[in-house]
């Protein structure tokens, strides 16, 4: 049973001392430096071995050699990983604040399930075969499920528990539909087997261009919600006293999470645990203030996603493991640890 967590104490969201703000700012810069290093590793390291000279040549000189082509493919893959990772981290942080459940993730509200069901429908019944074709089905499927969850959760009277319950119920129904269609249609199963586990391998400039406007819009909206979500963390009555519009904040939070997670899922498939792990870890050293959680999550989530992608390319050479498999392998034990730690803290 999902239980609404008690509001965070107000003292935690009070302005931090200058020294603590300086430490947080330094940590943000350090995180950004780590992200740059991981992004460079994503371009330089892969299932196909390239020398540093080939990588440099592929990045800054154009001649059409084999190495140049590989680097160009990895560059698109890395850019998509940066964008999708940031989107999943921000969506997870917003949903955890919205539901007041630190173990929530973008899959909790059925967004991943909506995108997956829409892609299966597009492939099976509309004959869509290319990523540029079904990316739009995935996005609108995620958006439709987000709107349905908001309606079933009570719309303007929605509460964190109602939203979570509605999302869980819809996810179960949609995943049942997805499995039934894929079992009955072998062609759909063959086309979907890589997308359903989550992958960056199909990244192209076209894919990035199509999802970029949605990711930028969702990012701006999520960052703008930091203050009202901070107010809501202190309880509905306190938030109202501080002038926060609860219904508008919940609706905009649902919209931000849907746009971010829907676009990322449309481009990469349903990648699990990134939106759960990173915001939860970030909160352990930033506190509950979303003005810090959101920027940290936007930087460190791509670190996890790209790092997992690099690991997947190395461990199965000359083939590779899809990034969704690697994050699931890493995320399972971490999720168990977080649940056990949270249960111990409540005893």
């Amino acid at each position: 049973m999902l239980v609404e967590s008690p509001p965070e104490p107000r003292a935690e969201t009070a302005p931090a001392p200058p020294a603590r703000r300086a430490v947080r700012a330094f940590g943000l810069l350090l995180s950004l430096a780590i992200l740059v290093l991981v992004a460079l590793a994503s371009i330089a390291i892969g299932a196909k071995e390239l020398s540093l000279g080939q990588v440099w040549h592929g990045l800054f000189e154009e001649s059409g050699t084999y190495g140049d082509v590989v680097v160009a493919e990895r560059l698109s893959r890395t850019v998509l990983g940066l964008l999708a990772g940031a989107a999943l981290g921000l969506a997870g942080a917003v949903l955890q604040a919205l539901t007041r459940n630190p173990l929530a993730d973008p899959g909790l509200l059925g967004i991943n399930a909506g995108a997956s069901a829409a892609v299966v429908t597009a492939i099976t019944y509309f004959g869509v075969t290319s990523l540029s074709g079904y990316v739009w089905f995935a996005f609108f499927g995620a958006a439709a499920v987000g709107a349905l969850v908001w309606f079933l959760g009570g719309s303007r009277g929605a509460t964190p528990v109602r939203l979570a319950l509605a999302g869980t119920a819809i996810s179960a129904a949609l995943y049942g539909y997805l499995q039934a269609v894929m079992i009955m249609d072998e062609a759909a199963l063959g086309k979907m087997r890589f997308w359903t586990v989550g992958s960056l391998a199909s990244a192209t400039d076209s894919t990035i261009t199509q999802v970029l406007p949605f990711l930028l819009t969702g990012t701006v909206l999520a960052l703008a919600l930091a203050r009202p979500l901070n107010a809501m963390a202190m309880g509905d009555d306190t938030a109202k006293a501080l002038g926060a519009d609860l219904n508008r904040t919940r609706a905009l939070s649902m919209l931000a999470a849907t746009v971010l997670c829907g676009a990322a899922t449309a481009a990469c498939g349903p990648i699990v645990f990134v939106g759960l792990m990173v915001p939860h870890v970030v909160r352990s050293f930033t506190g509950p203030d979303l003005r810090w959680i959101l920027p940290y999550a936007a930087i460190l989530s791509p670190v996890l996603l790209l790092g997992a992608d690099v690991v997947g390319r190395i461990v199965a050479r000359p083939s590779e493991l899809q990034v969704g498999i690697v994050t699931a392998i890493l995320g399972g034990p971490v999720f168990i640890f977080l649940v056990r730690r949270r249960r111990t803290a409540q005893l």
Side-chain angles (χ1 to χ4, degrees):
M1 179 180 293
L2 293 168
V3 180
E4 185 174 338
S5 301
E8 299 284 354
R10 181 172 182 175
E12 290 291 342
T13 55
R20 188 173 184 185
R21 289 199 298 270
V23 171
R24 287 173 173 172
F26 174 77
L28 206 59
L29 292 176
L30 181 61
S31 299
L32 189 59
I34 294 173
L35 177 59
V36 171
L37 292 176
V38 173
L40 292 175
S42 177
I43 297 172
I45 302 172
K48 299 177 178 67
E49 295 188 21
L50 297 178
S51 67
L52 291 178
Q54 287 177 304
V55 173
W56 179 269
H57 190 275
L59 285 174
F60 300 105
E61 300 178 27
E62 295 184 7
S63 65
T65 66
Y66 171 77
D68 298 343
V69 173
V70 172
V71 170
E73 292 175 352
R74 290 181 188 172
L75 184 60
S76 296
R77 185 170 182 162
T78 300
V79 172
L80 182 60
L82 290 170
L83 295 173
L88 292 172
L90 286 171
V94 168
L95 289 177
Q96 288 176 12
L98 174 65
T99 60
R100 297 177 192 167
N101 182 353
L103 300 180
D105 77 327
L108 181 67
L109 298 186
I111 297 172
N112 285 350
S116 299
V119 171
V120 169
T121 301
I123 291 175
T124 305
Y125 299 112
F126 295 97
V128 179
T129 58
S130 66
L131 179 65
S132 60
Y134 63 64
V135 67
W136 295 103
F137 281 88
F139 177 77
F140 287 115
V145 169
L148 181 60
V149 169
W150 176 249
F151 173 76
L152 294 178
S155 60
R156 295 182 63 86
T159 64
V161 173
R162 287 181 179 177
L163 291 174
L165 289 173
T168 301
I170 292 174
S171 292
L174 288 178
Y175 277 124
Y177 163 77
L178 186 152
Q179 295 298 324
V181 172
M182 292 178 65
I183 289 173
M184 293 187 295
D185 190 333
E186 292 185 3
L189 177 60
K191 295 170 185 175
M192 288 290 297
R193 68 182 187 276
F194 289 114
W195 189 87
T196 52
V197 298
S199 173
L200 299 176
S202 300
T204 63
D205 293 342
S206 175
T207 304
I208 295 170
T209 302
Q210 290 177 39
V211 300
L212 183 59
F214 298 106
L215 295 176
L216 291 178
T217 300
T219 297
V220 171
L221 182 56
L223 294 174
L225 288 168
R227 288 184 180 275
L229 285 173
N230 274 345
M232 287 179 58
M234 293 182 272
D236 290 356
D237 293 337
T238 303
K240 290 178 182 178
L242 293 173
D245 188 326
L246 301 184
N247 291 324
R248 183 178 65 181
T249 300
R250 286 171 179 153
L252 291 177
S253 297
M254 280 288 299
L255 177 62
T258 298
V259 171
L260 288 168
C261 190
T265 303
C268 308
I271 297 176
V272 297
F273 287 120
V274 174
L276 164 67
M277 289 190 289
V278 176
H280 193 90
V281 171
V282 165
R283 192 180 296 106
S284 67
F285 57 83
T286 64
D289 192 344
L290 284 160
R291 292 172 297 179
W292 290 101
I293 291 175
L294 293 174
Y296 267 101
I299 293 174
L300 292 178
S301 294
V303 171
L304 173 61
L305 187 60
L306 288 177
D309 192 40
V310 171
V311 170
R313 296 182 225 170
I314 294 174
V315 297
R317 282 178 174 173
S319 184
E320 64 179 70
L321 286 178
Q322 304 304 315
V323 66
I325 297 175
V326 179
T327 58
I329 293 173
L330 295 175
V334 172
F335 182 75
I336 293 172
F337 169 76
L338 293 177
V339 171
R340 288 182 61 85
R341 189 178 70 170
R342 181 170 172 78
R343 181 180 178 183
T344 302
Q346 292 176 341
L347 292 179

